[in-house]
Amino acid sequence: FSRRQALKPTATNVGELVDDFSVLLQHTLGETIYLQKQLAEALPPVLVDRNQLETSLLNLALNARDSMPRGGRLIIRTELYRKLANSNSFTDLPAGEYLMLSVRDEGEGMTAETISRAFEPFYTTKPAGVGTGLGLSMVYGFVKQSGGGIEIRSRLGEGTTIRLIFPVVHETPSQQQQHRLRLKQDGQQAQVLLVEDDIGVRQFVQRALHKMGYTVDLAENGDFAWEKLQQTKQYQLVLTDIIMPGSMSGLELYSRIRQDYPETKVLCMTGYSEQVDSTLSEQHLLRKPFMRNQLAHKLQELLKAEYA
Ligand SMILES: Nc1ncnc2c1ncn2[C@@H]1O[C@H](COP(=O)(O)OP(=O)(O)O)[C@@H](O)[C@H]1O
Ligand SMILES: [Mg+2]
């Protein structure tokens, strides 16, 4: 949607964001879609709202998946793009250095008509109830507000490439260091126990927690988590999946922790469609798939709260 939203642009390493996010993305896309990353090394950062960039990637990936009903390859690529003054691409942008993020699929492609209308809000070729026509217009709005550009390359039967470019920012080394420090301080060195049976989600969340500065211990299910708690007792927070193999579900773990370790906060992760027990308030709930920022925000809120 191209309506103006409050963006919080920060200097962002897009390759790193793609790398982190791809784990959850692959999980969301399912097994018939093979996600491939082609990430250039040592690209300069760009100034974008990370949340919106993640949401954009998700929208592009879901479109790619929809175009490949029998499965196929989805390629996410980052590279440096030097736009020349006389270039035929991205003609509305000044010449200069940009970071290009492209999402390519091997799907059914688009007609010229669809290409020309794809960014329009509510334009969709999908059946009612499936398409909203809001995915690409959201991405378009975000890219434009970030000072970037977006182009579609597609032909019917030959797949689609959506190319986004963002102006690069050249940070000095000390700015970069400050940036990293700020990220670290968010975590306040809290000790977190992460309880999750799915290895993909576990790795994604573990890396995200590390980057926020948390110290992370892992448990593969509720039973192991309970053992760890009894041995260690010093977790400020337990982040747990709800449905896991073993004798103790996340919900049960949650109520036992509240009873025996009231100082320890608990945040439960759950799939979008799962019914959640009404004993669990929104404060203690994080719906999957979630973005790194949403996780960071939830954790900070919960750790700040006196009674939770
Ligand atoms: N990767 C793609 N491959 C083929 N067609 C696409 C792709 N991405 C977008 N489209 C076309 O653009 C239209 C608009 O996309 P979007 O704004 O995300 O809305 P929606 O996905 O809800 O239809 C889609 O209905 C489809 O026709
Ligand atoms: Mg869409």
Side-chain angles (χ1 to χ4, degrees):
F1 224 40
S2 39
R3 99 185 148 215
R4 299 234 146 211
Q5 292 154 335
L7 296 190
K8 279 204 220 96
T10 49
T12 298
N13 179 333
V14 176
E16 214 173 273
L17 182 142
V18 170
D19 209 21
D20 285 345
F21 193 55
S22 64
V23 183
L24 203 71
L25 215 47
Q26 175 72 73
H27 203 70
T28 308
L29 295 171
E31 281 161 9
T32 59
I33 306 291
Y34 173 56
L35 198 159
Q36 200 175 334
K37 290 173 285 186
Q38 299 176 346
L39 308 176
E41 289 290 325
L43 290 174
V46 299
L47 216 59
V48 291
D49 180 306
R50 287 175 213 212
N51 230 339
Q52 301 259 355
L53 182 55
E54 288 180 341
T55 308
S56 299
L57 265 175
L58 181 65
N59 279 326
L60 296 174
L62 290 176
N63 281 345
R65 182 198 61 187
D66 289 347
S67 79
M68 299 187 287
R70 281 174 305 280
R73 255 188 333 159
L74 168 63
I75 299 147
I76 304 183
R77 185 180 165 89
T78 58
E79 66 206 290
L80 195 67
Y81 176 76
R82 286 197 180 81
K83 185 188 175 314
L84 306 174
N86 59 357
S87 160
N88 292 327
S89 299
F90 306 105
T91 47
D92 52 339
L93 291 176
E97 277 194 351
Y98 293 82
L99 182 141
M100 179 178 281
L101 172 66
S102 50
V103 177
R104 178 154 70 89
D105 64 58
E106 300 174 324
E108 59 208 14
M110 306 189 207
T111 63
E113 146 96 5
T114 300
I115 293 175
S116 69
R117 301 194 56 193
F119 296 129
E120 281 176 28
F122 306 110
Y123 176 81
T124 181
T125 58
K126 297 169 194 175
V130 177
T132 60
L134 292 176
L136 282 181
S137 71
M138 176 268 151
V139 180
Y140 183 88
F142 158 66
V143 168
K144 285 294 162 185
Q145 284 182 70
S146 310
I150 178 164
E151 281 187 4
I152 299 175
R153 284 185 174 177
S154 184
R155 214 182 276 185
L156 216 51
E158 289 179 22
T160 298
T161 305
I162 313 267
R163 304 192 303 161
L164 318 183
I165 65 171
F166 302 95
V168 303
V169 290
H170 292 285
E171 278 187 317
T172 65
S174 89
Q175 279 173 324
Q176 282 176 19
Q177 198 183 10
Q178 272 181 4
H179 186 68
R180 268 188 222 118
L181 258 174
R182 233 179 297 127
L183 276 178
K184 278 266 183 218
Q185 277 159 2
D186 283 352
Q188 305 146 340
Q189 274 91 48
Q191 182 108 11
V192 175
L193 177 62
L194 169 61
V195 194
E196 167 68 65
D197 60 311
D198 183 295
I199 186 166
V201 179
R202 197 163 66 226
Q203 281 175 353
F204 165 75
V205 177
Q206 183 188 16
R207 288 177 65 177
L209 289 170
H210 267 306
K211 289 212 175 116
M212 295 170 206
Y214 294 103
T215 310
V216 189
D217 257 354
L218 301 174
E220 277 165 40
N221 64 31
D223 303 297
F224 288 131
W226 189 244
E227 269 174 36
K228 284 230 153 119
L229 271 159
Q230 287 173 307
Q231 287 159 11
T232 322
K233 295 189 180 115
Q234 54 188 3
Y235 298 108
Q236 273 95 326
L237 190 138
V238 174
L239 177 58
T240 182
D241 191 17
I242 293 191
I243 298 172
M244 295 175 291
S247 68
M248 206 186 297
S249 77
L251 280 178
E252 209 172 313
L253 184 63
Y254 168 81
S255 35
R256 286 174 79 163
I257 292 173
R258 302 211 91 181
Q259 212 162 50
D260 290 10
Y261 304 104
E263 318 275 75
T264 300
K265 313 265 170 77
V266 186
L267 180 59
C268 296
M269 304 176 279
T270 177
Y272 263 106
S273 50
E274 280 163 35
Q275 285 290 345
V276 179
D277 195 282
S278 57
T279 55
L280 215 52
S281 76
E282 272 305 310
Q283 195 185 16
H284 298 104
L285 199 62
L286 183 61
R287 295 200 177 270
K288 290 191 267 191
F290 49 80
M291 319 287 171
R292 197 158 82 190
N293 294 17
Q294 292 171 308
L295 173 64
H297 185 72
K298 267 268 148 90
L299 290 174
Q300 276 168 23
E301 258 187 13
L302 206 51
L303 285 168
K304 254 191 347 225
E306 210 161 323
Y307 305 100

